[in-house]
Coordinates of all heavy atoms in Angstrom, one line a residue:
K1354 N 92.2 39.8 93.4 CA 92.6 39.8 94.8 C 93.9 38.8 94.9 O 93.9 37.7 94.5 CB 91.5 39.2 95.7 CG 90.4 40.3 95.9 CD 89.3 39.7 96.8 CE 88.2 40.8 97.0 NZ 87.1 40.3 97.9
G1355 N 94.9 39.4 95.6 CA 96.1 38.6 95.8 C 97.1 38.6 94.6 O 98.2 38.2 94.7
T1356 N 96.6 39.2 93.4 CA 97.4 39.2 92.2 C 97.5 40.5 91.6 O 98.0 40.7 90.5 CB 96.9 38.2 91.2 OG1 95.6 38.6 90.8 CG2 96.9 36.8 91.8
A1357 N 97.0 41.6 92.3 CA 96.9 42.9 91.8 C 98.3 43.5 91.4 O 98.4 44.4 90.6 CB 96.2 43.9 92.7
W1358 N 99.3 42.9 92.1 CA 100.7 43.4 91.8 C 101.3 42.9 90.5 O 102.3 43.4 90.0 CB 101.6 42.9 93.0 CG 101.6 41.4 93.2 CD1 100.7 40.8 94.0 CD2 102.5 40.5 92.6 NE1 101.0 39.4 93.9 CE2 102.0 39.2 93.1 CE3 103.6 40.5 91.7 CZ2 102.7 38.0 92.7 CZ3 104.2 39.3 91.3 CH2 103.7 38.1 91.8
K1359 N 100.7 41.8 89.9 CA 101.2 41.2 88.7 C 101.1 42.2 87.5 O 100.1 42.9 87.4 CB 100.6 39.9 88.4 CG 100.9 38.8 89.4 CD 100.2 37.5 89.0 CE 100.6 36.4 89.9 NZ 100.0 35.0 89.4
E1360 N 102.1 42.1 86.7 CA 102.1 43.0 85.5 C 101.0 42.8 84.6 O 100.3 43.7 84.0 CB 103.5 42.9 84.7 CG 103.6 43.8 83.5 CD 104.9 43.6 82.8 OE1 105.8 42.9 83.3 OE2 105.0 44.2 81.7
S1361 N 100.6 41.5 84.3 CA 99.5 41.1 83.5 C 98.2 41.6 83.9 O 97.4 42.1 83.1 CB 99.5 39.6 83.3 OG 99.3 39.0 84.5
V1362 N 98.0 41.6 85.3 CA 96.7 42.1 85.9 C 96.7 43.6 85.8 O 95.7 44.2 85.4 CB 96.7 41.7 87.4 CG1 95.4 42.3 88.0 CG2 96.6 40.2 87.5
Q1363 N 97.8 44.3 86.0 CA 97.8 45.8 85.8 C 97.6 46.2 84.4 O 96.9 47.2 84.2 CB 99.2 46.3 86.4 CG 99.4 46.1 87.9 CD 100.7 46.5 88.4 OE1 101.5 47.1 87.7 NE2 101.0 46.3 89.7
R1364 N 98.2 45.5 83.5 CA 97.9 45.8 82.1 C 96.5 45.7 81.7 O 95.9 46.5 81.0 CB 98.8 44.9 81.1 CG 100.3 45.3 81.1 CD 100.9 44.8 79.8 NE 100.7 43.3 79.7 CZ 101.5 42.4 80.1 NH1 102.6 42.7 80.7 NH2 101.2 41.1 80.0
Y1365 N 95.9 44.6 82.2 CA 94.4 44.3 82.0 C 93.6 45.4 82.5 O 92.7 46.0 81.9 CB 94.1 43.0 82.6 CG 92.7 42.5 82.2 CD1 92.4 41.8 81.1 CD2 91.6 42.9 83.1 CE1 91.1 41.3 80.8 CE2 90.3 42.4 82.8 CZ 90.1 41.7 81.7 OH 88.8 41.3 81.4
E1366 N 94.0 45.9 83.8 CA 93.1 46.9 84.4 C 93.3 48.3 83.8 O 92.4 49.1 83.8 CB 93.5 47.0 85.9 CG 92.6 47.8 86.8 CD 92.8 47.6 88.2 OE1 93.9 47.1 88.6 OE2 91.9 48.0 89.0
M1367 N 94.4 48.5 83.1 CA 94.7 49.8 82.5 C 93.6 50.1 81.4 O 93.2 51.2 81.1 CB 96.0 49.9 81.9 CG 97.2 50.1 82.9 SD 98.8 50.0 82.1 CE 98.7 51.4 81.0
N1368 N 93.2 49.0 80.7 CA 92.1 49.1 79.7 C 90.9 48.2 80.1 O 90.4 47.4 79.3 CB 92.6 48.7 78.3 CG 93.7 49.6 77.8 OD1 93.5 50.7 77.4 ND2 95.0 49.1 77.8
L1369 N 90.5 48.4 81.3 CA 89.5 47.5 82.0 C 88.2 47.4 81.2 O 87.7 46.4 80.8 CB 89.3 47.8 83.4 CG 88.3 47.0 84.2 CD1 88.7 45.5 84.2 CD2 88.1 47.5 85.6
L1370 N 87.6 48.6 80.9 CA 86.3 48.6 80.3 C 86.4 48.1 78.8 O 85.5 47.3 78.4 CB 85.8 50.1 80.3 CG 85.4 50.6 81.6 CD1 84.9 52.0 81.4 CD2 84.5 49.7 82.4
R1371 N 87.5 48.3 78.1 CA 87.7 47.8 76.8 C 87.8 46.3 76.9 O 87.2 45.6 76.1 CB 88.9 48.4 76.1 CG 89.2 48.0 74.7 CD 90.4 48.6 74.1 NE 90.2 50.1 74.0 CZ 91.1 50.9 73.7 NH1 92.4 50.5 73.4 NH2 90.9 52.2 73.6
N1372 N 88.6 45.8 77.8 CA 88.8 44.3 78.0 C 87.5 43.6 78.3 O 87.2 42.5 77.8 CB 89.9 44.0 79.0 CG 91.3 44.4 78.4 OD1 91.6 44.2 77.3 ND2 92.1 44.8 79.3
I1373 N 86.7 44.2 79.3 CA 85.5 43.7 79.6 C 84.5 43.6 78.5 O 83.8 42.6 78.2 CB 84.9 44.5 80.8 CG1 85.7 44.3 82.1 CG2 83.4 44.1 81.1 CD1 85.6 42.9 82.6
N1374 N 84.4 44.7 77.7 CA 83.6 44.7 76.5 C 84.0 43.7 75.5 O 83.1 43.0 74.9 CB 83.7 46.2 75.9 CG 82.7 46.3 74.7 OD1 83.2 46.3 73.6 ND2 81.5 46.4 74.9
H1375 N 85.3 43.5 75.3 CA 85.7 42.5 74.4 C 85.4 41.1 74.8 O 84.8 40.2 74.0 CB 87.3 42.5 74.3 CG 87.8 41.5 73.3 ND1 87.7 41.6 72.0 CD2 88.6 40.4 73.6 CE1 88.3 40.5 71.4 NE2 88.9 39.8 72.4
T1376 N 85.5 40.8 76.1 CA 85.1 39.5 76.7 C 83.6 39.3 76.6 O 83.1 38.2 76.2 CB 85.5 39.4 78.2 OG1 87.0 39.4 78.2 CG2 85.1 38.0 78.7
Q1377 N 82.8 40.3 76.8 CA 81.4 40.3 76.8 C 80.9 39.9 75.4 O 80.1 39.0 75.2 CB 80.8 41.6 77.2 CG 79.3 41.6 77.3 CD 78.7 43.0 77.7 OE1 79.3 44.0 77.3 NE2 77.7 43.0 78.4
K1378 N 81.5 40.5 74.4 CA 81.1 40.2 73.0 C 81.5 38.8 72.6 O 80.7 38.1 71.9 CB 81.9 41.2 72.0 CG 81.3 42.6 72.1 CD 82.0 43.5 71.1 CE 81.4 45.0 71.2 NZ 82.1 45.9 70.2
E1379 N 82.6 38.3 73.0 CA 83.1 36.9 72.7 C 82.2 35.9 73.3 O 81.8 34.9 72.7 CB 84.5 36.7 73.2 CG 85.6 37.4 72.3 CD 87.0 36.9 72.8 OE1 87.1 36.6 74.0 OE2 87.9 36.8 71.9
L1380 N 81.8 36.2 74.6 CA 80.8 35.2 75.3 C 79.4 35.2 74.6 O 78.8 34.3 74.5 CB 80.7 35.6 76.7 CG 82.0 35.3 77.6 CD1 81.8 35.9 79.0 CD2 82.3 33.8 77.7
A1381 N 79.0 36.5 74.2 CA 77.7 36.6 73.7 C 77.6 35.9 72.3 O 76.5 35.3 72.0 CB 77.3 38.1 73.5
N1382 N 78.6 36.0 71.5 CA 78.5 35.4 70.1 C 79.1 34.0 70.0 O 79.2 33.5 69.0 CB 79.1 36.4 69.1 CG 80.6 36.7 69.3 OD1 81.3 35.9 69.8 ND2 81.0 37.9 69.0
G1383 N 79.6 33.5 71.2 CA 80.1 32.1 71.2 C 81.5 32.0 70.6 O 81.9 30.8 70.3
T1384 N 82.3 33.0 70.6 CA 83.6 32.9 70.0 C 84.7 32.9 71.1 O 85.9 32.8 70.7 CB 83.9 34.1 69.0 OG1 83.8 35.3 69.7 CG2 82.9 34.0 67.8
Y1385 N 84.4 32.9 72.3 CA 85.4 32.9 73.4 C 86.1 31.5 73.4 O 85.6 30.5 73.3 CB 84.7 33.1 74.7 CG 85.6 32.8 75.9 CD1 86.5 33.7 76.3 CD2 85.6 31.6 76.6 CE1 87.4 33.5 77.4 CE2 86.4 31.3 77.6 CZ 87.3 32.3 78.1 OH 88.2 32.0 79.1
E1386 N 87.5 31.7 73.5 CA 88.3 30.5 73.6 C 89.4 30.8 74.7 O 90.0 31.9 74.7 CB 89.1 30.2 72.3 CG 88.2 29.8 71.1 CD 87.7 28.4 71.3 OE1 88.2 27.6 72.1 OE2 86.7 28.1 70.7
Q1387 N 89.5 29.9 75.6 CA 90.4 30.0 76.7 C 91.8 29.9 76.2 O 92.2 29.1 75.4 CB 90.1 29.0 77.8 CG 91.0 29.2 79.1 CD 90.6 28.2 80.1 OE1 89.5 28.3 80.7 NE2 91.4 27.2 80.5
K1388 N 92.7 30.8 76.8 CA 94.1 30.7 76.5 C 94.8 29.5 77.1 O 94.3 28.9 78.0 CB 94.8 32.1 76.9 CG 94.3 33.3 76.2 CD 94.9 34.5 76.8 CE 94.4 35.8 76.1 NZ 93.0 36.0 76.4
D1389 N 96.0 29.2 76.6 CA 96.8 28.1 77.2 C 97.1 28.4 78.7 O 97.3 29.5 79.1 CB 98.0 27.8 76.4 CG 97.7 27.3 75.0 OD1 96.7 26.7 74.8 OD2 98.6 27.4 74.1
F1390 N 97.3 27.3 79.4 CA 97.6 27.5 80.8 C 99.1 27.8 80.9 O 99.9 27.4 80.1 CB 97.4 26.1 81.6 CG 96.0 25.8 81.8 CD1 95.4 24.8 81.0 CD2 95.1 26.4 82.6 CE1 94.1 24.4 81.2 CE2 93.8 26.1 82.8 CZ 93.3 25.1 82.1

């Protein structure tokens, strides 16, 4: 919300289910690492 126009958000949404699945696996197996600010 409020950022849907951003290119990074649109790229993420183009492969939304794949990205969600990738995040889900990282969180489940404890390998998730936050990117730099």
Side-chain angles (χ1 to χ4, degrees):
K1354 289 183 177 179
T1356 61
W1358 56 272
K1359 291 185 176 181
E1360 184 181 349
S1361 60
V1362 177
Q1363 293 176 6
R1364 284 201 307 267
Y1365 186 91
E1366 192 168 16
M1367 285 175 63
N1368 296 289
L1369 179 58
L1370 294 181
R1371 182 180 297 175
N1372 287 324
I1373 292 295
N1374 182 255
H1375 177 72
T1376 299
Q1377 185 181 35
K1378 288 180 178 179
E1379 286 188 328
L1380 290 171
N1382 59 33
T1384 59
Y1385 168 81
E1386 294 290 339
Q1387 184 174 293
K1388 299 177 179 62
D1389 291 336
F1390 293 107

